[in-house]
Amino acid sequence: MMIFLGQMNQLTTFSLSMEPRIPAEVLNIFANMPHLVDISLCLIDVLDKLPAEFPQSVRRLVLYADVIKQDPMPILEKLPCLVMLELSGYKGQTMCCSSQGFPRLQRLALRSFSTEEWRMEEGAMPKLSHLTLWGCEKMSKLPDGLLHLPSLGHLELIDMDQISEDDNTLNELRRKGCEVFGGAAHICMVVMVPEF
């Protein structure tokens, strides 16, 4: 399968779902697919780290894994065209988005992350308008960095009951006009349609 997929270097869309699980090595073939715009992978078993090279043309990336060991943001934030990102399974305690990272990202969904601290440098994700956090149980409070996102207008919290209504960042976002939706009652995945 890897040999076959590696020869398809003209693809613009790549979607793969497999049982029992997608081998992590599949991600290495993307270095030979320079025209990819849309990537969807569900479900990868254990991913030590993301490959250093992704097609620079990618605009939508959906990657669900049981386990992602290393912070995926330092690699993904360098993709210049990325508009929509859905990730699941990062098990690290900290996550960092650097200044000037994710220059075009508009929609971000993070599911089943073990992150306790999410650091955001000022200038990161300047166009992010929609953020969904789902089942990130170890995130006891919303990161202060959300307040520095100039375009954030929609925050959805699913199975995030540990975030108190008294959370300072939550209340400040509301004061700034950000719509906040939340609660454990949500049972379906948010479908995010990219705005190209």
Side-chain angles (χ1 to χ4, degrees):
M1 183 184 72
M2 295 287 290
I3 295 174
F4 172 73
L5 292 175
Q7 295 172 345
M8 304 181 70
N9 56 13
Q10 298 300 314
L11 288 179
T12 57
T13 300
F14 185 98
S15 180
L16 182 61
S17 180
M18 183 184 295
E19 286 292 345
R21 292 291 185 266
I22 299 171
E25 292 78 17
V26 165
L27 275 75
N28 295 326
I29 67 175
F30 296 141
N32 299 320
M33 296 181 173
H35 306 293
L36 277 178
V37 173
D38 191 318
I39 299 174
S40 179
L41 296 171
C42 182
L43 181 69
I44 294 175
D45 186 9
V46 176
L47 182 59
D48 288 332
K49 62 180 180 178
L50 293 179
E53 293 186 18
F54 265 87
Q56 296 296 291
S57 54
V58 170
R59 301 186 73 171
R60 176 179 178 269
L61 174 61
V62 177
L63 196 160
Y64 289 173
D66 286 335
V67 176
I68 301 174
K69 292 184 178 181
Q70 290 191 19
D71 185 357
M73 298 309 188
I75 291 174
L76 297 179
E77 70 181 6
K78 296 173 183 171
L79 296 176
C81 300
L82 192 63
V83 173
M84 175 185 158
L85 176 62
E86 288 187 34
L87 291 175
S88 174
Y90 174 52
K91 300 307 178 186
Q93 292 184 343
T94 61
M95 181 169 68
C96 184
C97 296
S98 61
S99 178
Q100 312 306 318
F102 294 111
R104 296 186 62 187
L105 189 68
Q106 296 176 20
R107 293 174 178 258
L108 174 64
L110 306 177
R111 181 179 181 183
S112 300
F113 273 38
S114 296
T115 305
E116 297 176 13
E117 181 182 9
W118 183 6
R119 302 187 196 117
M120 267 176 272
E121 295 181 2
E122 194 163 352
M125 298 183 284
K127 296 187 177 181
L128 187 72
S129 59
H130 288 67
L131 172 63
T132 300
L133 300 175
W134 185 4
C136 302
E137 297 176 353
K138 294 187 178 181
M139 190 179 293
S140 60
K141 64 177 183 176
L142 294 177
D144 297 339
L146 295 180
L147 300 175
H148 302 306
L149 302 180
S151 302
L152 186 62
H154 182 109
L155 172 64
E156 183 147 18
L157 304 174
I158 304 174
D159 291 338
M160 295 284 290
D161 292 344
Q162 76 277 14
I163 302 296
S164 166
E165 283 295 317
D166 296 328
D167 185 276
N168 291 334
T169 300
L170 182 66
N171 287 318
E172 186 63 19
L173 286 172
R174 284 176 169 149
R175 191 190 67 78
K176 293 173 70 174
C178 179
E179 291 184 295
V180 179
F181 303 88
H186 294 266
I187 58 173
C188 61
M189 180 58 180
V190 178
V191 177
M192 300 194 303
V193 180
E195 298 175 354
F196 295 141

